[in-house]
Amino acid sequence: MVLLRHLLDIEDSESIDKKALSNGEVYIGIFKGTLPHGKGKYIWCDGTVYKGDWEEGKMTGKGQILWSSGAKYEGDFSGGYLHGIGTLIGHDGSEYRGAWRMNARHGLGRKQYSNLDVYEGSWKEGMREGCGKYSWNNGNTYMGNWKGGKICGRGVMKWENGDLFDGFWINGLRHGSGVYRFADGGYYFGMWSMGLKDGKGTFYSAGTKHPSLRRWCSSLGCYESGRNLLSHSSSLNSEKTRVLIPNDMRSLSERMSINGIFKDSGRFSLGTVSLDENSSRCSLGSEFICREPSCMLSQTSDEGQRGVQDNCTVVYEREYMQGVLKNEKVKNTEPSRKTKQRNKFDVKVTKRKSYVDIFQGHWSYYLMLSLQLGIRYTVGKITPVPMRGARDSDFGDRARIRMYFPRKGSQFTPPHYSIDFYWKDYCPMVFRNLREMFKLDAAEYMMSICGDDGLTELPSSGKSGSIFFLSHDDRFVIKTLKKFELKTLLKMLPEYYDHVGKHENTLITKIFGVHRITLRGGKKVRFVVMGNMFCTELRIHDRYDLKGSTQGRYTDKDKVGENTTLKDLDLAYEFHMDKLLRESLFKNTFLLCRQLSLDCSFLESQQIIDYSLLLGIHFRAPEQLRAILEPPATMLNHATLATSDVKLL
């Protein structure tokens, strides 16, 4: 008994007992009734040992567990879970030190893998998520955002040879705007799509003057090469990180439980648990990007960057389509004397104002805030109303929600950073039902439009002067309307509602809400929220507005830009489809044509003739480039991005 007190560091006043179960497992320590409570030691029949604090039969407090496989955890426990701050050393030599939540890494932590790769940053339910830095043993590093264990969002990848990419990623592949800096000093500013250059960009050879990187990074929300992306994820203080663990997240990992303690079965066991079962496989894109010592795509999509160093005044404007160079022209970087003089004196440039340019130079920002406030208020007010069918009164002039939003706030509205405005929501019950028909959740709708990410203003070359906004997830387009357009839309709304209800596969634009903002001076801005049919991870290379006519249906080639919507006579492609896709398309052609006919009949009944079919085309990458982006399965056995963890027994 004296020896047991010494082993467990238990005070003389506490009662120590030893209980052997029928399955051969043993508990030595303090009891509260029939349950372990206080200091104690439990030995499983397979040799696994826990030593530490107990609370009413569950491991709670500080403790240490040593598995028979050789894995070891020391730190906080709660209710039988690894929960709090602790260190896990795997049987393969990997080590994680940081925050835990219900057996999963959750919060800030640092993990060194068995191959000496290191990840330091944020975790969520056992996977890398948030800001983090990953260092490969070959010298490559990535610092930036992660999601679901994959590189996703804004981040900086630096290769061992000195090449660097600063920009946006998705699923481990470069996707969106970015800048690639070559080790020799050359730069490429452009767009990427699923790992391949896609769209227009500019290449500056080594020694050529290029745009300020600080200014470019600031436009994307970062100061210099991702310097502020990970300011909080350096060396961790285990006690300080405790407060950063969210309390409302539910772990997806298997619960580590003690079953049947001192019950009829006499069984007292610790279940087998994998602390990283959801991240045992990493994205192929991540493996590819991290394996390439100097960017494997440099042979195909970055070709020629080192072949222009003899003439450092040359700048190339390039256009790529899925990694293939489509157009290239040399840009003269030395302006003429006349140009310099003209730029010197023509400082002020007159810009034609839109009819909604009413916010004293900051209209787009204030308009965005007002839209978000109004939509959040409207959806929050109408959603709790019991679901019912639309009535005639729901389409009438009185079917409106009106509210005043003073900047300082009121009894019904919160304070905000926009300007004072009046809000009007048209036919709220009708659009609430339409959102239900389109299977759109109210919470998703508000998060998409009213979330912290805000809205993006889109350039518009239309004659109407309408302003377009795009939600951060590309799901919704918001367009300003003129008064007669609003009246036309509300007039046809009952028939539109019936048509959508009868034909769920309609190709007519989905409308989710119609609203109006009025300033105290009386000026009004009306707008409609629509679905974005081009909401896809694929880049839409060409857009066509097809009317089925040849009269004037072509675009002046000199006016064609990257985002120009083309017309009927511009569509000069022969489409080659694989056999399965072709058969599937032919099988559904009848249904598609029938739906198009029904939609056209509806528009005709509303005396609308100015309608067309919007077509988007995405060009697939050539086979040789896709083969590079999709490494064979054998590469998984030698994956540079380590994700597998010790399975605890």
Side-chain angles (χ1 to χ4, degrees):
M1 185 66 69
V2 175
L3 178 60
L4 291 177
R5 291 184 193 278
H6 176 71
L7 290 174
L8 296 173
D9 299 324
I10 300 173
E11 298 179 1
D12 294 339
S13 60
E14 295 176 325
S15 174
I16 302 176
D17 200 356
K18 177 177 180 180
K19 180 72 174 181
L21 303 181
S22 58
N23 61 1
E25 295 172 352
V26 177
Y27 173 77
I28 306 170
I30 303 172
F31 286 83
K32 181 179 181 180
T34 61
L35 298 175
H37 188 83
K39 297 286 185 179
K41 180 178 181 180
Y42 196 93
I43 305 172
W44 282 264
C45 56
D46 65 353
T48 301
V49 177
Y50 170 79
K51 176 182 176 182
D53 298 329
W54 295 78
E55 185 176 305
E56 296 184 349
K58 295 181 179 179
M59 298 179 290
T60 302
K62 298 286 185 180
Q64 180 185 101
I65 186 167
L66 179 64
W67 284 268
S68 57
S69 64
K72 177 182 178 181
Y73 173 82
E74 184 171 0
D76 296 334
F77 290 81
S78 180
Y81 293 97
L82 280 62
H83 191 93
I85 303 299
T87 300
L88 172 69
I89 301 176
H91 66 85
D92 59 354
S94 62
E95 179 179 336
Y96 172 79
R97 177 170 58 91
W100 296 80
R101 177 178 170 84
M102 299 177 69
N103 286 352
R105 294 178 295 277
H106 195 94
L108 293 180
R110 180 183 187 276
K111 178 166 183 178
Q112 178 172 306
Y113 296 86
S114 57
N115 65 351
L116 301 183
D117 287 0
V118 175
Y119 174 78
E120 187 174 11
S122 178
W123 301 77
K124 181 179 179 181
E125 297 179 352
M127 307 188 77
R128 296 176 289 270
E129 184 147 337
C131 286
K133 178 180 180 181
Y134 198 104
S135 302
W136 285 264
N137 58 17
N138 62 2
N140 299 339
T141 60
Y142 170 81
M143 183 166 62
N145 290 304
W146 298 74
K147 186 174 182 180
K150 302 176 183 178
I151 296 174
C152 195
R154 177 73 192 282
V156 180
M157 174 75 77
K158 185 175 182 180
W159 286 271
E160 182 272 338
N161 72 333
D163 285 3
L164 180 146
F165 175 80
D166 184 351
F168 290 93
W169 305 73
I170 188 169
N171 294 329
L173 296 171
R174 287 164 285 194
H175 189 85
S177 59
V179 55
Y180 197 103
R181 186 192 73 190
F182 300 95
D184 62 8
Y187 285 86
Y188 179 79
F189 294 80
M191 298 290 296
W192 277 259
S193 176
M194 304 305 292
L196 295 172
K197 287 182 179 177
D198 209 10
K200 292 186 177 180
T202 306
F203 173 70
Y204 299 83
S205 58
T208 303
K209 184 178 180 181
H210 52 75
S212 168
L213 288 180
R214 177 180 293 273
R215 181 183 304 172
W216 183 86
C217 292
S218 297
S219 68
L220 299 181
C222 183
Y223 293 111
E224 185 176 353
S225 298
R227 180 176 297 176
N228 68 335
L229 288 173
L230 200 60
S231 58
H232 66 279
S233 61
S234 56
S235 298
L236 302 174
N237 183 312
S238 60
E239 294 301 321
K240 290 182 179 179
T241 56
R242 185 188 304 269
V243 299
L244 299 175
I245 304 174
N247 294 319
D248 57 348
M249 302 301 298
R250 191 166 69 91
S251 174
L252 297 178
S253 61
E254 180 183 353
R255 179 171 178 176
M256 193 172 147
S257 59
I258 297 175
N259 302 317
I261 180 170
F262 299 112
K263 294 185 179 180
D264 296 338
S265 64
R267 175 79 176 164
F268 184 22
S269 62
L270 183 62
T272 301
V273 178
S274 170
L275 293 181
D276 201 13
E277 56 184 320
N278 290 327
S279 62
S280 60
R281 294 184 63 187
C282 66
S283 72
L284 294 177
S286 293
E287 294 169 4
F288 160 65
I289 285 196
C290 304
R291 290 180 61 85
E292 52 180 343
S294 59
C295 183
M296 291 169 62
L297 286 183
S298 62
Q299 299 177 4
T300 53
S301 61
D302 293 332
E303 70 278 8
Q305 70 272 13
R306 293 177 175 83
V308 294
Q309 296 184 30
D310 294 337
N311 187 355
C312 293
T313 62
V314 176
V315 173
Y316 288 94
E317 291 185 348
R318 294 174 175 173
E319 182 178 1
Y320 288 87
M321 185 177 290
Q322 284 288 281
V324 177
L325 184 61
K326 182 179 178 182
N327 293 311
E328 180 182 71
K329 63 180 180 179
V330 177
K331 178 181 178 182
N332 186 7
T333 60
E334 292 295 334
S336 64
R337 179 175 299 181
K338 291 183 178 180
T339 304
K340 291 180 179 179
Q341 292 177 350
R342 185 168 60 250
N343 293 339
K344 180 178 180 180
F345 294 103
D346 296 345
V347 177
K348 296 184 179 179
V349 179
T350 302
K351 183 179 181 181
R352 187 173 70 88
K353 294 184 178 180
S354 167
Y355 80 102
V356 292
D357 193 1
I358 53 182
F359 293 101
Q360 299 177 355
H362 301 284
W363 64 266
S364 61
Y365 174 71
Y366 291 135
L367 180 58
M368 181 191 74
L369 291 181
S370 302
L371 291 177
Q372 291 179 309
L373 285 166
I375 291 176
R376 188 183 297 117
Y377 174 83
T378 296
V379 177
K381 187 178 181 67
I382 196 66
T383 299
V385 176
M387 187 67 182
R388 61 171 176 80
R391 305 166 182 167
D392 292 341
S393 59
D394 294 327
F395 296 93
D397 293 337
R398 294 188 178 182
R400 310 285 191 267
I401 293 178
R402 298 176 177 85
M403 182 55 62
Y404 176 53
F405 284 81
R407 185 167 185 168
K408 294 182 179 180
S410 66
Q411 181 181 356
F412 305 101
T413 63
H416 56 84
Y417 293 100
S418 184
I419 57 180
D420 298 349
F421 68 95
Y422 292 88
W423 172 264
K424 179 184 283 189
D425 182 70
Y426 295 90
C427 306
M429 181 57 73
V430 174
F431 286 107
R432 180 254 177 90
N433 288 359
L434 283 172
R435 292 192 291 268
E436 291 282 345
M437 291 181 188
F438 296 136
K439 299 178 176 58
L440 177 61
D441 182 72
E444 292 180 6
Y445 184 59
M446 282 197 294
M447 286 298 295
S448 179
I449 297 178
C450 308
D452 295 335
D453 294 313
L455 304 172
T456 302
E457 183 183 353
L458 298 176
S460 173
S461 58
K463 298 179 181 179
S464 66
S466 296
I467 306 302
F468 292 83
F469 289 95
L470 185 67
S471 62
H472 74 93
D473 56 4
D474 296 341
R475 295 183 64 183
F476 304 102
V477 176
I478 302 173
K479 176 190 176 184
T480 58
L481 299 174
K482 291 184 177 180
K483 186 176 181 179
F484 80 89
E485 293 175 323
L486 175 64
K487 287 186 175 181
T488 301
L489 179 57
L490 293 177
K491 182 180 179 181
M492 63 177 287
L493 186 58
E495 288 75 17
Y496 174 85
Y497 182 86
D498 292 339
H499 182 80
V500 169
K502 294 177 182 177
H503 308 287
E504 63 176 356
N505 295 320
T506 179
L507 300 178
I508 293 178
T509 301
K510 296 179 180 179
I511 302 175
F512 301 104
V514 180
H515 316 284
R516 189 184 77 183
I517 291 174
T518 306
L519 302 183
R520 297 190 66 178
K523 294 184 178 181
K524 300 178 177 65
V525 182
R526 307 162 186 87
F527 57 92
V528 58
V529 183
M530 305 176 290
N532 178 19
M533 67 169 292
F534 291 147
C535 179
T536 172
E537 291 183 356
L538 299 177
R539 178 180 176 84
I540 303 300
H541 295 99
D542 285 342
R543 297 169 176 82
Y544 291 89
D545 181 76
L546 305 178
K547 290 183 177 293
S549 171
T550 59
Q551 186 65 33
R553 300 300 294 166
Y554 67 92
T555 307
D556 187 349
K557 300 303 180 183
D558 295 333
K559 298 181 180 180
V560 174
E562 185 175 5
N563 297 315
T564 301
T565 300
L566 305 173
K567 301 178 182 179
D568 297 69
L569 296 180
D570 302 316
L571 186 60
Y573 292 111
E574 292 183 2
F575 294 96
H576 299 276
M577 303 180 186
D578 58 58
K579 184 178 180 180
L580 293 178
L581 179 60
R582 184 172 64 252
E583 291 176 353
S584 176
L585 181 61
F586 286 163
K587 193 176 298 183
N588 294 287
T589 297
F590 173 76
L591 296 176
L592 177 63
C593 291
R594 182 174 181 272
Q595 186 61 58
L596 284 171
S597 177
L598 291 170
D599 290 341
C600 291
S601 297
F602 164 73
L603 294 171
E604 183 181 358
S605 70
Q606 302 302 307
Q607 298 182 343
I608 298 174
I609 62 172
D610 187 19
Y611 60 87
S612 55
L613 177 67
L614 185 61
L615 174 68
I617 298 179
H618 167 77
F619 294 94
R620 297 176 63 182
E623 292 295 332
Q624 66 271 21
L625 292 184
R626 289 179 20 222
I628 294 176
L629 288 175
E630 300 173 2
T634 54
M635 291 182 64
L636 294 175
N637 299 327
H638 308 283
T640 308
L641 180 59
T643 54
S644 59
D645 271 310
V646 61
K647 290 190 175 182
L648 306 179
L649 303 176

